[in-house]
Amino acid sequence: MIYRSWLRAEGFTPEVFDGRPVIGIANSWSELTPCNVHLRTVADAVKRGVWQSGGFPLEFPTMSLGETLMRPTAMLFRNLMAMEVEELLRANPLDGVVLLSGCDKTTPAMLMAAASTDLPAIMVTGGPMLNGKFRGADVGSGTHVWRFEQELVAGRMTQEQVLAAESGMARSCGHCMTMGTASTMACMAEALGMQLPGSAAWPAADSRRYVTAQSAGQRIVQLVAEDLRPSQIMTRQAFENAIRVNAAIGGSTNAVIHLLAIAGRLGVPLRLDDFDELARPVPTLVNLMPSGRYLMEDFCYAGGLPAVMRELQDFLHNDHIGVTGRTLAETVADAECWNRDVIASLDAPLQPPGTGTAVLRGNLCPGGAVVKQSAASPHLLKHRGQALVFDSIESYHEVAEREDLPVDASTVLIVRGAGPRGYPGMPEIGNFVLPRKLLQRGVTDMVRVSDARMSGTGFGTVVLHAAPEAAVGGPLALVRSGDWIELDTPGRTLTLDVPDDELASRRAGWAPEQPPSSRGYARLYHEHVLQADRGADLDFLVGASGAEVPRHNH
Ligand code: FES
């Protein structure tokens, strides 16, 4: 009676307590997360499906992470959200869950939670915004922010024009409609088999977004009956599929960190180098910003992810089973591509094999670093230049507009102190805007190296995620302005041309900075966060713990 009675306060009839599966709808809706603001409507569609299939849906709020508003960076809180959702799933009497996410970090956070609890789960991402429009042309969220910012700094665009552009860029609900991190992670959820086929691409404003949500509601009830769990879906095979799909879609470098973290929760062995090795034979097929020219709405109408996965079948584990309960081969058998300009064929790809995200090694990044080749300038992928070093992004911004900045197009710009611990939270500043004097002279790209991340919507020859980061004493902390640095992307190396004994003497003089906070979550994070090459999860959250509530033995 105590369990039933209080729920009766919500006005349910007694039949809902007849033993039918209780389906949680974990909702990251928030007005502080514009990308997720329509998710309450999506939840209504999920509920229809759950009722239809004989389940009992109960929607509940989770933490939400708005990429553009949260400081110091939404990534600082991905692990907190993952932990919160995990505990909510475990503490409440749920038989299965539908996870509603959208903005960048909400998707990996929820997948990490599902991985840890291993409760039957389906994800429904909120879908991308409609294509941005400005002066008769498509503009992409994020990607054009960086472009317009460069134009503004270079004096080729006025502030009034930028204001006009921003309203045309975000003209509907939904997450970023470039192949940024949100779209990438939505595709990763689908490639892993955790959301229904085609679900990643339906625009948030398209009625079919709600059809797929209702279908997810129907399916989760069956999934509970079949006892098909995330650990049976997110297998090593699934991660291999996802990594290859990420290469084909020109996906975000953030997928590397998030997939490593999700795999860590499941005990699936996944290494940073897997991303390079698995992606090398895969060409880029999807012509979306920032690597290409189209946007998610076009991707959807061209056939979406099923069309990509059908094209990629030679590279994928086609017997993998996702939340549909069917194999990948069955799932994509009828998938068609309606526009080869948006989704290219293997025979005539957008970019040849080996142009996806490369993993670099060397004395500057013994733990690895990544560079997204498809969004870089080909002539800079092999480059030798002298370093100009900044200890923080703020110190770079202070001087970036100065005419006397000692920099030319061959300089390698280094910003450190922006890794998981250093910032904290590993912000997306790796594609920082170029010095003004070079922009005004028409330079559009330079080699930049950092321990930071880059927005999935960003572009440029930017080496990211250098590990170990400077804040824990990684070699990046030892670089000095004027040192020679060699980037050899084809050879997969990043080398600091300084003798070992000189580096040893610099190391002797290095001391870590004080932690940014002595209390609260920031302290917990600082003490336990793993490096980028291990997914930047908290060390004590690695490994699954299941759906049972832990009990003490008395
Ligand atoms: Fe939310 Fe880009 S800001 S997805």
Side-chain angles (χ1 to χ4, degrees):
M1 182 178 177
I2 193 167
Y3 301 122
R4 290 191 304 267
S5 179
W6 271 260
L7 269 172
R8 295 290 291 275
E10 294 184 32
F12 294 113
T13 58
E15 299 81 55
V16 301
F17 306 111
D18 62 3
R20 68 187 69 198
V22 180
I23 305 298
I25 302 172
N27 198 340
S28 56
W29 170 90
S30 167
E31 286 185 344
L32 288 167
T33 309
C35 309
N36 294 19
V37 84
H38 60 302
L39 289 183
R40 299 224 53 209
T41 325
V42 176
D44 287 341
V46 175
K47 280 182 206 169
R48 290 201 299 262
V50 174
W51 286 122
Q52 250 179 331
S53 286
F56 176 21
L58 288 168
E59 179 188 355
F60 61 95
T62 70
M63 190 177 178
S64 192
L65 306 177
E67 190 63 32
T68 52
L69 298 182
M70 293 187 86
R71 292 294 174 264
T73 166
M75 180 63 176
L76 175 62
F77 307 105
R78 182 202 63 178
N79 300 340
L80 182 62
M81 180 176 173
M83 191 156 53
E84 186 230 34
V85 175
E86 174 184 343
E87 298 304 335
L88 286 173
L89 296 184
R90 190 176 293 114
N92 286 293
L94 303 173
D95 298 301
V97 64
V98 178
L99 305 162
L100 302 188
S101 69
C103 198
D104 288 21
K105 309 299 174 288
T106 56
T107 297
M110 284 183 153
L111 288 175
M112 289 158 76
S116 288
T117 50
D118 209 19
L119 199 66
I122 296 184
M123 174 158 271
V124 180
T125 51
M129 287 185 257
L130 298 173
N131 284 9
K133 298 285 179 186
F134 178 59
R135 293 176 168 175
D138 282 348
V139 289
S141 36
T143 304
H144 273 87
V145 173
W146 322 126
R147 294 223 165 103
F148 292 153
E149 191 181 354
Q150 285 192 350
E151 293 297 286
L152 185 68
V153 172
R156 289 188 286 268
M157 224 173 152
T158 65
Q159 191 67 47
E160 290 68 35
Q161 288 168 332
V162 167
L163 283 173
E166 72 187 25
S167 60
M169 195 180 298
R171 62 191 189 90
S172 80
C173 58
H175 58 67
C176 291
M177 82 313 253
T178 43
M179 189 52 83
T181 305
S183 301
T184 299
M185 290 313 297
C187 289
M188 292 298 90
E190 188 173 326
L192 285 167
M194 288 299 291
Q195 70 169 334
L196 294 176
S199 184
W202 295 120
D206 194 306
S207 57
R208 288 162 292 185
R209 165 64 44 205
Y210 299 89
V211 174
T212 203
Q214 184 168 340
S215 302
Q218 292 172 320
R219 179 64 192 143
I220 186 65
V221 178
Q222 299 160 355
L223 213 58
V224 170
E226 295 163 16
D227 199 26
L228 187 56
R229 291 173 183 262
S231 61
Q232 294 160 276
I233 295 170
M234 291 192 279
T235 58
R236 166 86 194 179
Q237 285 192 335
F239 283 98
E240 291 186 2
N241 282 354
I243 289 168
R244 289 190 150 160
V245 167
N246 191 43
I249 63 175
S252 164
T253 45
N254 284 321
V256 176
I257 292 184
H258 297 321
L259 290 176
L260 285 167
I262 298 163
R265 296 292 185 101
L266 291 154
V268 170
L270 198 66
R271 303 165 305 132
L272 179 60
D273 295 298
D274 287 330
F275 287 81
D276 196 308
E277 289 161 20
L278 288 161
R280 273 204 203 206
V282 180
T284 307
L285 300 182
V286 174
N287 189 1
L288 253 61
M289 295 178 205
S291 302
R293 54 182 281 234
Y294 293 101
L295 294 166
M296 284 297 282
E297 201 182 333
D298 309 302
F299 180 58
C300 178
Y301 305 149
L305 203 67
V308 177
M309 292 185 80
R310 186 177 181 195
E311 191 67 24
L312 275 186
Q313 273 186 298
D314 287 350
F315 295 104
L316 301 179
H317 299 286
N318 293 297
D319 54 350
H320 175 256
I321 289 176
V323 287
T324 58
R326 290 177 294 148
T327 64
L328 174 60
E330 292 167 334
T331 302
V332 302
D334 299 324
E336 292 212 45
C337 175
W338 305 105
N339 187 340
R340 282 291 174 210
D341 225 20
V342 179
I343 303 173
S345 66
L346 275 181
D347 300 336
L350 179 70
Q351 297 202 35
T355 48
T357 295
V359 176
L360 308 171
R361 299 272 174 184
N363 66 347
L364 197 48
C365 55
V370 301
V371 58
K372 183 173 174 178
Q373 299 177 89
S374 61
S377 303
H379 72 281
L380 288 174
L381 285 170
K382 209 167 158 44
H383 178 79
R384 184 175 162 84
Q386 281 182 289
L388 183 62
V389 181
F390 298 90
D391 285 326
S392 67
I393 187 64
E394 291 80 12
S395 60
Y396 171 71
H397 284 150
E398 276 168 23
V399 298
E401 301 199 353
R402 282 172 55 164
E403 193 56 34
D404 61 351
L405 194 69
V407 67
D408 62 34
S410 73
T411 304
V412 176
L413 293 169
I414 303 244
V415 168
R416 60 190 173 201
R421 268 209 220 177
Y423 198 80
M426 206 180 177
E428 294 183 333
I429 54 92
N431 58 321
F432 49 92
V433 70
L434 302 184
R436 181 162 69 178
K437 75 175 190 182
L438 296 182
L439 284 172
Q440 286 174 332
R441 283 169 209 160
V443 177
T444 54
D445 196 8
M446 291 169 71
V447 174
R448 285 155 278 177
V449 178
S450 74
D451 43 16
R453 295 177 301 116
M454 169 174 81
S455 165
T457 62
F459 53 88
T461 312
V462 285
V463 177
L464 307 157
H465 311 179
E469 62 174 304
V472 300
L476 205 60
L478 310 178
V479 187
R480 291 183 183 163
S481 292
D483 289 348
W484 285 93
I485 291 180
E486 185 157 350
L487 168 66
D488 178 4
T489 309
R492 300 298 194 257
T493 57
L494 179 68
T495 310
L496 174 61
D497 196 358
V498 173
D500 289 347
D501 53 350
E502 167 64 15
L503 286 178
S505 83
R506 291 184 192 179
R507 177 168 298 287
W510 179 83
E513 286 187 12
Q514 287 300 308
S517 177
S518 61
R519 63 175 299 281
Y521 175 70
R523 177 173 170 178
L524 185 78
Y525 177 90
H526 185 269
E527 289 175 357
H528 294 281
V529 71
L530 297 167
Q531 288 295 289
D533 57 322
R534 298 195 52 203
D537 200 359
L538 302 184
D539 53 11
F540 59 84
L541 293 175
V542 172
S545 49
E548 295 303 315
V549 177
R551 290 174 198 277
H552 292 295
N553 289 323
H554 293 295

